[in-house]
Amino acid sequence: MSEKIAIVGSGLIGRSWAVLFARGGYRVVLYDVKEELMTQAMEVVQAQLHSLHESNLLLGRDPAECYTRVSTSTFLSSAVEGALLLQECVPEDVELKRKVFSELDTLVSDTTILSSSTSCIVPSKFTETLSHRSNCIVSHPVNPPHYCPAVEIIPAPWTTDLAKDKTISIMKQIGMKPVVAKKECDGFILNRLQYAVLQESWRLVEDGVCDPQDIDTVMTSGLGLRWSFIGPFQTIHLNAPEGVTDYAERYSDGIVRVSKQFGEPRHMTGETLEKVREYVEGEVPMDKHKENLQWRDGVLKQLAVFKQSIPDKP
Amino acid sequence: MSEKIAIVGSGLIGRSWAVLFARGGYRVVLYDVKEELMTQAMEVVQAQLHSLHESNLLLGRDPAECYTRVSTSTFLSSAVEGALLLQECVPEDVELKRKVFSELDTLVSDTTILSSSTSCIVPSKFTETLSHRSNCIVSHPVNPPHYCPAVEIIPAPWTTDLAKDKTISIMKQIGMKPVVAKKECDGFILNRLQYAVLQESWRLVEDGVCDPQDIDTVMTSGLGLRWSFIGPFQTIHLNAPEGVTDYAERYSDGIVRVSKQFGEPRHMTGETLEKVREYVEGEVPMDKHKENLQWRDGVLKQLAVFKQSIPDKP
């Protein structure tokens, strides 16, 4: 029988994790406090499994067979019993994480990995006092994770290499792309890059260099096209005839000069926020926010399908 | 008869501009010093026109008809005579740009726009003393421009609104997506965003937070997927239930806190460069650099075709 994964919390992220672990061949027990939450969750899981299958994103598995491996429980102890890994998906509140992890700590075996989905709380903040703290780690997915496979793996200072390596291996098994921090880092990795872009974008608008739409255009019709399949480092390697050392020789001084002008971080408030709001609401009106989210996820799905068709590098 | 565009310099960028202006319905005269350079250029132009047509990226025009509108000249005065716009594509050297623009200044009419393809030199550096300086502007394309349609429009302090607006309108006519700076800015817009990401990526690797491949993965399997079709501002607008003001309220303090940790710009040298080089050359070996460039451009082409199929926003 395949190994078991416990998912603590049946919301948006918990449901997606259930689909992903099922896709990877695991048995999945979805835990939540109320039965009716999980009835709803199971419907979504079933629909997502079929949707992934139709797009050839189910790693060759049968959606019905995957679905049979997903069950639910309102008993935390039986949900986590014997689990290889448990994936916590409760709201982003450090006190709540502490409470949940303390309870989990009393229930899990010495080999179970306690993995949190938190997007911004470093694991030392809610695992320090636990008996099983060496098995605690963060596995932060991108939403929606079945189309955006990056997952940030953030160990606490006391997480063992064994727990980290097992987590990475499980994530690969379910078709995710682990991005591994060697140590805790405020904002993790993805958001630090996002914030670097957001801050410089904000300054350019606030300082009257360009309008908000110019930022989005330069990304969607320029930089973002490359970055959707080759990252920042491979991009610069290909942008100089003799590769990345050539690029560094040519451009490092200019990059440092320009970067020195970036200046202090800006708070996202005031007239600039108003300007950005006017632009984005013109493109994505609040009364169609939900439909536009579905549109975005639909495009991300198509993009995931597209990326499967990209030929291997020469 | 359709209006005329002069292209000064028949290298990689000049050839691409010839294709783009022909696609937009203009007559194009490609100028260079040697006849044989242009024979080669014309072959590339013809091949690119057919390739774009096959991918439905020629704005509905016939490639053979487009090609008949492209001619060459080794006489600068006749090449630029009567041109609506001339696009300069000589190497990135401010002295050379000054020399070329000074010569062009003596040849052009009072209505011709003098547009430079420079990627990094602000137009005031090579246009200040010209009689026609009010018609001078930068139109910086992304390579390859027929698949990455962003073009940065950078006016000098003395560029008239008329010249700027005409340039924007011509760029739209040929299927490009203008990104307009309201004033000169070191690094323009695209590279400032790229440098913000590169610098934070460099610091994360240099400070031992992650390996270079993690940077590329978090981009290609995370952030870059969204950014290939919705930019940084629309992304955050969709990442909070009540839109961008909600996002700003929730995250602005955290973004400022994290951004304050970014610290000083780093020079791209030493052990970190060696680490990055090892990674990128493992993925893209130098002896296959050229083939990988072709691979990248092929994927960008497929991505351009894919993006045409994205449904409109709700």
Side-chain angles (χ1 to χ4, degrees):
Chain A
M1 201 159 76
S2 52
E3 289 190 279
K4 169 175 157 182
I5 304 288
I7 296 176
V8 178
S10 71
L12 188 68
I13 299 296
R15 295 164 192 191
S16 290
W17 276 123
V19 169
L20 294 169
F21 286 113
R23 165 174 90 168
Y26 292 105
R27 276 186 302 135
V28 179
V29 180
L30 193 55
Y31 164 82
D32 214 321
V33 284
K34 284 184 189 164
E35 193 67 59
E36 64 263 34
L37 289 174
M38 290 185 299
T39 312
Q40 210 188 352
M42 287 299 279
E43 283 170 21
V44 173
V45 166
Q46 190 169 32
Q48 279 189 1
L49 284 167
H50 279 90
S51 165
L52 287 182
H53 174 67
E54 280 166 23
S55 310
N56 198 24
L57 295 169
L58 206 61
L59 305 181
R61 291 186 195 270
D62 175 63
E65 185 275 322
C66 288
Y67 187 70
T68 62
R69 282 186 275 101
V70 185
S71 61
T72 65
S73 173
T74 51
F75 298 95
L76 190 55
S77 56
S78 66
V80 304
E81 192 190 355
L84 175 66
L85 177 146
L86 68 82
Q87 186 70 35
E88 165 272 311
C89 313
V90 304
E92 292 285 35
D93 173 322
V94 68
E95 287 309 323
L96 180 62
K97 300 273 181 197
R98 276 192 195 128
K99 189 171 157 294
V100 169
F101 270 75
S102 293
E103 190 176 356
L104 291 167
D105 193 37
T106 65
L107 299 172
V108 292
S109 78
D110 291 346
T111 58
T112 300
I113 293 165
L114 292 86
S115 170
S116 171
S117 301
T118 180
S119 66
C120 57
I121 312 171
V122 289
S124 60
K125 291 248 170 93
F126 54 90
T127 65
E128 187 169 9
T129 60
L130 307 182
S131 324
H132 297 98
R133 68 178 198 167
S134 63
N135 286 334
C136 291
I137 200 160
V138 163
S139 306
H140 167 232
V142 183
N143 188 37
H146 29 289
Y147 306 135
C148 302
V151 55
E152 296 187 282
I153 308 296
I154 319 285
W158 37 79
T159 308
T160 61
D161 282 348
L162 179 65
K164 188 181 75 176
D165 292 344
K166 269 169 75 177
T167 307
I168 294 169
S169 153
I170 293 166
M171 290 299 157
K172 286 182 178 167
Q173 165 72 19
I174 68 173
M176 302 297 278
K177 304 276 187 192
V179 173
V180 186
K182 295 173 198 288
K183 54 187 179 189
E184 292 189 344
C185 176
D186 196 8
F188 304 168
I189 296 166
L190 182 143
N191 274 329
R192 288 181 80 96
L193 299 188
Q194 176 163 231
Y195 296 169
V197 164
L198 277 178
Q199 279 289 315
E200 181 52 14
S201 300
W202 204 267
R203 285 184 293 254
L204 288 168
V205 173
E206 200 151 74
D207 296 347
V209 174
C210 66
D211 287 328
Q213 53 267 44
D214 295 299
I215 297 293
D216 278 0
T217 301
V218 92
M219 189 59 86
T220 58
S221 296
L223 279 174
L225 299 173
R226 281 164 162 65
W227 285 349
S228 69
F229 67 100
I230 49 172
F233 287 135
Q234 288 191 41
T235 292
I236 62 173
H237 181 54
L238 285 169
N239 274 354
E242 302 299 326
V244 73
T245 45
D246 184 18
Y247 182 93
E249 265 171 43
R250 288 169 191 249
Y251 301 116
S252 177
D253 287 350
I255 293 173
V256 168
R257 185 190 71 235
V258 168
S259 305
K260 278 186 178 160
Q261 303 159 11
F262 287 171
E264 286 302 297
R266 306 284 172 92
H267 288 274
M268 299 168 75
T269 54
E271 277 176 38
T272 308
L273 179 57
E274 187 50 30
K275 208 168 186 176
V276 171
R277 190 192 63 74
E278 255 181 50
Y279 153 66
V280 292
E281 291 191 1
E283 294 290 321
V284 180
M286 282 316 300
D287 63 358
K288 288 188 182 163
H289 200 259
K290 212 176 159 184
E291 292 87 334
N292 273 287
L293 261 179
Q294 283 168 351
W295 171 85
R296 180 200 70 181
D297 290 354
V299 179
L300 286 168
K301 177 182 179 167
Q302 290 173 15
L303 193 53
V305 173
F306 166 77
K307 284 190 70 176
Q308 289 185 320
S309 75
I310 294 180
D312 288 338
K313 286 202 188 82
Chain B
M1 201 159 74
S2 52
E3 289 189 276
K4 168 176 158 183
I5 305 288
I7 295 177
V8 179
S10 70
L12 190 70
I13 300 295
R15 294 163 193 194
S16 290
W17 276 123
V19 170
L20 294 168
F21 285 114
R23 165 174 89 169
Y26 292 104
R27 275 185 302 135
V28 178
V29 180
L30 193 54
Y31 164 83
D32 214 320
V33 284
K34 284 185 189 164
E35 193 67 58
E36 63 263 35
L37 289 174
M38 290 186 300
T39 311
Q40 210 187 354
M42 288 298 280
E43 282 170 20
V44 172
V45 166
Q46 190 170 31
Q48 279 189 1
L49 285 166
H50 280 90
S51 166
L52 288 182
H53 175 67
E54 279 165 24
S55 310
N56 197 24
L57 295 169
L58 206 61
L59 306 181
R61 291 186 197 271
D62 175 62
E65 185 275 321
C66 288
Y67 187 69
T68 62
R69 281 187 275 101
V70 185
S71 61
T72 65
S73 173
T74 50
F75 298 96
L76 190 56
S77 57
S78 66
V80 304
E81 191 190 355
L84 175 66
L85 176 145
L86 69 84
Q87 186 70 34
E88 165 272 312
C89 313
V90 304
E92 291 287 34
D93 173 323
V94 69
E95 287 309 323
L96 180 63
K97 301 271 182 199
R98 275 191 197 129
K99 190 174 158 290
V100 170
F101 270 75
S102 292
E103 189 176 356
L104 291 168
D105 193 37
T106 65
L107 300 173
V108 292
S109 79
D110 291 346
T111 57
T112 300
I113 293 166
L114 292 85
S115 170
S116 171
S117 302
T118 179
S119 67
C120 58
I121 311 171
V122 290
S124 60
K125 291 248 169 92
F126 53 90
T127 64
E128 187 168 8
T129 60
L130 307 183
S131 323
H132 297 99
R133 67 179 199 167
S134 64
N135 285 335
C136 291
I137 201 160
V138 163
S139 305
H140 167 232
V142 183
N143 188 37
H146 30 287
Y147 307 134
C148 301
V151 55
E152 296 188 284
I153 308 295
I154 319 285
W158 37 80
T159 308
T160 61
D161 283 349
L162 180 64
K164 187 180 74 174
D165 293 344
K166 268 170 75 178
T167 306
I168 294 168
S169 153
I170 292 165
M171 290 299 157
K172 286 183 179 166
Q173 166 71 19
I174 67 172
M176 302 298 278
K177 304 276 188 193
V179 173
V180 185
K182 295 173 199 289
K183 54 187 177 190
E184 291 189 344
C185 177
D186 195 8
F188 304 169
I189 297 166
L190 182 143
N191 274 329
R192 288 182 79 96
L193 299 187
Q194 176 163 233
Y195 296 168
V197 164
L198 277 178
Q199 279 289 316
E200 181 52 14
S201 300
W202 204 265
R203 285 183 293 253
L204 288 168
V205 173
E206 200 151 73
D207 297 347
V209 174
C210 67
D211 287 327
Q213 54 266 44
D214 295 300
I215 297 293
D216 278 359
T217 301
V218 92
M219 189 59 87
T220 57
S221 295
L223 279 175
L225 298 173
R226 283 165 160 65
W227 285 349
S228 69
F229 68 99
I230 50 173
F233 287 135
Q234 288 192 41
T235 292
I236 62 172
H237 182 54
L238 284 169
N239 274 355
E242 302 299 325
V244 73
T245 46
D246 183 17
Y247 182 93
E249 266 173 43
R250 288 168 192 249
Y251 302 115
S252 177
D253 287 349
I255 293 173
V256 169
R257 184 190 72 235
V258 168
S259 305
K260 277 185 178 160
Q261 303 159 12
F262 286 171
E264 286 303 297
R266 305 283 173 92
H267 288 273
M268 297 166 77
T269 54
E271 278 176 37
T272 308
L273 179 57
E274 188 50 30
K275 208 168 187 176
V276 171
R277 189 193 63 74
E278 255 181 49
Y279 153 66
V280 291
E281 290 190 2
E283 294 289 321
V284 180
M286 281 316 301
D287 63 357
K288 289 188 181 161
H289 200 258
K290 212 176 158 183
E291 292 88 333
N292 273 288
L293 261 179
Q294 282 169 352
W295 170 85
R296 180 200 69 182
D297 290 354
V299 178
L300 285 169
K301 177 182 179 168
Q302 290 172 14
L303 193 54
V305 173
F306 166 76
K307 284 190 70 176
Q308 289 185 319
S309 75
I310 293 180
D312 288 339
K313 287 202 188 82

